[in-house]
Amino acid sequence: MLSDRAPWTLRAAALGGLLFLHLPILLIFLYAFTTEERTYQFPPPGLTTQWFAVAWNREDIWPPLWLSLKVAAIATLLAMILGTLVAAAMARAKFFGREQISLLIILPIALPGIITGMSLRSAFAVMDIPFSIWTIMLGHATFCIVIVYNNAVARFRRLSGGILEASADLGANAFQTFRHILLPNLGSALLAGGMLAFALSFDEVIVTTFTAGSGTDAKTLPIWMLDELIRPRQRPVTNVVAILVFAATFFPILAAYYLTRGGGETAGGGK
Amino acid sequence: MTAAVEFRAVSRHFGPIRAVDGVDLTIAEGSFFAMLGPSGSGKTTCLRLISGFEKPTGGVIRIFGEDVSNTPPHLRNVNTVFQDYALFPHMNVRDNVAYGLMVKGTPRARRYAQANEMLALVKLDAYGDRKPAQLSGGQRQRVALARALVNEPRVLLLDEPLGALDLKLREAMQDELKSLQKRLGITFVFVTHDQNEALSMADSLAVFNQGRIAQIGTPQDIYDRPATRFVADFVGSSNVLPPDLTRALGGPAQWASLRPEATRLAATGAITGTVTALRYLGSATRVVLTAQGPGFTGTEIAALVPTGQPLPAEGQTTAIAFDPAALHLMEAP
Amino acid sequence: MTAPAILPARSAADRLTGLFWRKPNLLLILLITPPLLWLGLVYVGSLAALLLQSFYSIDEFSGVVKEEFTLKTYAELFRAQNLDIILRTLLMSAAVTLACAILAFPIAYYAARYAKGRWKAAFYLGVMLPLWSSYLVKVYAWKLILAKEGILSWATDATGTGFLISGLLAIPGLGGSSLSTSYIGTFLVFTYVWLPYMILPMQASLERVPASMLEASADLGATRSQTLRTVVLPLALPGIIAGSIFTFSLTMGDYIIPQIVGNSARFIGLAVYQQQGTAGNIPLAAAFAVVPIVIMVIYLMLAKRAGAFDAL
């Protein structure tokens, strides 16, 4: 009696839900081409591609873009090193405090951004550290560690432990085993983790607002966008930037998914 | 002549668990040595103690006279064929086989030449460019073998390497391994839970039970003259006679073992009983008799009747006769 | 001359490997110290600083932070306007959680029970991509949709359902002059942005319901809706609770969405931001920030009791 075909109401609700998730983003794309620059009028009175050129020429967009890229790059690098180290430690034998460390790794992303942000802000106040690119990067690297860790540890578990032993058995020392066996087999998972970390850092706004300070050179691209959203100037230009931000997060995610598909663990499942 | 491998009072404890408990062992150079036992008996742990992936909690291990207590696995001139083969999935077959040579710094041309030679030896010379995922189980096993042997180790360790193969393939591999070992003259140490395999391939073997060695000897020794009840049970399906029955047959009050194939059925004989089971094995039939007699009623004795000879019916009363020399006395289990 | 049984160590790397073999804990310590130092110093240290700051107070006249232990700042939280903020945040979090649970269920159920093969991957991507898509872009999209001249008004005008919107906006306390400056708007955006966080754990726990159980229920005579109520929902509860942890926690901590889509009423997140910024009252900001931590810890303890962590 229990069929394998869902009742059409369920199917409609499920697909409707999925559409609900995706349609709003498509609107952003649409509005980047509208000729109307002062309101969000629908339907758009006309379509044009001029805003892309305008965005390219605007001076206040490039510095935040570079800053976001720099922070994301450094944070990702740090997260990849630290995340892989701790994944290597955790994937092996059981040891005292293992569960606590697991919790500690996940905490920066489990607690709301405002807590992480405010905590760092408090620390900076207590230790009298001035705001700079490093304070931004400090926060980003911290919550990116868990992203790389999840991917690395999942791949570690999938590695047949035998191949590491086989390598030693055949005469390779630890560094040779790392270089010839571990790295090639871990590689794509690490890359995926790195891409996700990059996307997360590039897009992050809440923690950044607490750790960036108020200088004009402390604006990342999301902060720029936030300012524009609250006090809009040329709205379609904001949309053009939105498309850029979206692409900078969308493509790494997709790439990470394809890199780690085919195993029990898939990138992104640990957010 | 120095023994290839020597264990002196070796133990490996994991807290209260004694995986290996005071083992003494000598493996002669150039022999095919088998370690036989049920799972959990400590044989695999002993193998890993030789390769270095386990460290003993007590005792001394010597390989060709040298104490290896402080030698890590990658510096021991010992190679392993792992149970799941552990081939490197991201390399092709040739690179897999040449790996050991590569990490020791052998230049590419020479190591590929040696790898190809070894692949030819295991009859896989056409497969050098394939990846492990493209090979069958039997082929992977041979790659694992080649990968270990190309390094010319002084001892080759094999951890239940034939377990995943089907019967025909397994028998073919057994022959191949045996002839390979004879040809190369390398000491082989082979772990298995299959006693037929151990008996047919080994020059000498050790039977493990709960972390200890129950008996070491040639296959004939172990089969014909099991030292303990455990060995008699585990190796071949022997009849284990309780002390009362042994005494009734004219011997001392000790446990004894009697191989079913050493017996024959007759109208009258040393042990009388009723036939309770008949099991057809192809080349013979196993006839189980429930013995009748003072002190040993209820003991089951099995006899092996070659196909072609007359069989009794179930429920029939008959007797078992045997050459008294076939009765082998054992220590307590 | 036959080769030796023990090969000589050829390099420092060989000797180091030997050291790691003799003392495996050494390698473990080397691996785990840098990340642990970082997380310990940077993260736990900051949390400690937060807690510390919340016990300081600010001198009302000079605006300088007095670094002495006091409970005065926490007492400030009980002032009417601050309690208001806390309550408002809690209510919004609860509402959003409920809405997410209801909306997520059909998607999660379909994906867990009926989607097979390529459809399953499509659903997986279909939830993953919005989940990881830029947060700001998603919020911005809704600002566009809810704008007075935007697509929603156009759609309701075109279908003659404009009265629904006006009706909603007329609800006292919840409505406002337009969707994008009302609580309803804020609520909609919160629900949209956190929906994927509810779908995933729900789907995970629904996938754990064996099909045989549903068949047994049908076999014993239950209708579809009875099976849903008595078998599926209780088994899916851990997933629902796990998802609710996310939606609740994320809503409590968010201050961007109410700024972009909503009136100027304050939520905890906004209060924290403003107090540490323009007001310079870091202790009060810290105290406010501790509130969600405490709430979430209690929530997590209750959730653990109810078995939600098996779904994570």
Side-chain angles (χ1 to χ4, degrees), chain C residues 76-92:
Chain C
E76 288 222 12
L77 285 182
F78 287 94
R79 267 203 231 154
Q81 70 192 82
N82 292 335
L83 267 185
D84 214 32
I85 295 176
I86 297 178
L87 217 60
R88 189 179 300 132
T89 313
L90 276 176
L91 279 174
M92 177 62 87

Side-chain angles (χ1 to χ4, degrees), chain B residues 261-321:
Chain B
E261 58 275 13
T263 65
R264 56 181 197 284
L265 294 176
T268 51
I271 309 173
T272 325
T274 36
V275 178
T276 45
L278 293 154
R279 194 124 59 87
Y280 177 60
L281 300 172
S283 56
T285 303
R286 187 182 168 87
V287 181
V288 181
L289 230 70
T290 306
Q292 294 155 352
F296 54 84
T297 303
T299 310
E300 293 195 331
I301 313 287
L304 223 52
V305 179
T307 302
Q309 291 185 13
L311 288 170
E314 213 172 312
Q316 193 181 327
T317 306
T318 184
I320 288 184

Side-chain angles (χ1 to χ4, degrees), chain C:
Chain C
M1 179 62 222
T2 44
I6 298 182
L7 302 168
R10 291 157 292 148
S11 62
D14 277 347
R15 282 190 288 273
L16 197 58
T17 309
L19 183 61
F20 288 148
W21 174 78
R22 280 192 292 277
K23 298 198 178 333
N25 284 333
L26 185 61
L27 182 62
L28 186 64
I29 293 177
L30 273 181
L31 285 176
I32 210 160
T33 306
L36 214 54
L37 264 179
W38 178 285
L39 283 173
L41 282 178
V42 174
Y43 192 65
V44 177
S46 306
L47 282 176
L50 176 73
L51 209 55
L52 189 65
Q53 285 279 0
S54 69
F55 287 116
Y56 290 163
S57 65
I58 188 170
D59 186 298
E60 284 112 29
F61 297 111
S62 60
V64 166
V65 175
K66 276 196 293 194
E67 298 191 347
E68 307 168 345
F69 184 88
T70 169
L71 289 175
K72 204 167 55 145
T73 319
Y74 277 107
E76 288 222 12
L77 285 182
F78 287 94
R79 267 203 231 154
Q81 70 192 82
N82 292 335
L83 267 185
D84 214 32
I85 295 176
I86 297 178
L87 217 60
R88 189 179 300 132
T89 313
L90 276 176
L91 279 174
M92 177 62 87
S93 306
V96 168
T97 302
L98 197 61
C100 278
I102 296 175
L103 282 178
F105 193 79
I107 304 177
Y109 191 59
Y110 188 88
R113 269 280 295 151
Y114 296 103
K116 302 270 189 300
R118 249 180 318 152
W119 275 109
K120 208 167 189 87
F123 262 92
Y124 184 79
L125 269 179
V127 176
M128 264 316 166
L129 288 176
L131 173 68
W132 282 87
S133 294
S134 167
Y135 161 83
L136 262 187
V137 171
K138 285 188 282 198
V139 177
Y140 183 33
W142 275 89
K143 194 170 172 67
L144 295 181
I145 295 176
L146 294 176
K148 257 214 188 99
E149 67 280 8
I151 185 173
L152 194 60
S153 313
W154 172 84
T156 51
D157 283 341
T159 54
T161 45
F163 65 93
L164 279 176
I165 306 277
S166 338
L168 274 175
L169 286 174
I171 301 177
L174 288 178
S177 54
S178 76
L179 270 181
S180 66
T181 54
S182 65
Y183 284 126
I184 299 184
T186 316
F187 163 78
L188 277 174
V189 183
F190 270 131
T191 308
Y192 171 76
V193 179
W194 307 140
L195 190 57
Y197 290 89
M198 177 64 87
I199 296 179
L200 288 176
M202 236 196 223
Q203 182 180 343
S205 73
L206 280 170
E207 268 171 5
R208 290 207 187 94
V209 177
S212 51
M213 237 182 244
L214 302 173
E215 283 167 11
S217 169
D219 207 57
L220 291 164
T223 63
R224 256 212 169 90
S225 70
Q226 279 178 316
T227 308
L228 195 72
R229 263 186 301 122
T230 56
V231 179
V232 178
L233 275 180
L235 287 174
L237 201 58
I240 300 178
I241 297 181
S244 74
I245 295 177
F246 286 123
T247 55
F248 209 87
S249 156
L250 288 166
T251 309
M252 269 207 301
D254 194 290
Y255 74 95
I256 300 225
I257 291 179
Q259 266 192 303
I260 300 182
V261 180
N263 56 25
S264 48
R266 292 199 297 164
F267 291 83
I268 289 183
L270 199 51
V272 174
Y273 184 66
Q274 287 175 336
Q275 292 293 349
Q276 63 89 38
T278 45
N281 193 346
I282 300 186
L284 187 57
F288 259 119
V290 169
V291 173
I293 299 183
V294 169
I295 298 181
M296 283 319 296
V297 166
I298 299 179
Y299 200 114
L300 280 170
M301 287 200 309
L302 292 173
K304 189 171 181 126
R305 250 332 146 77
F309 289 118
D310 321 328
L312 280 179

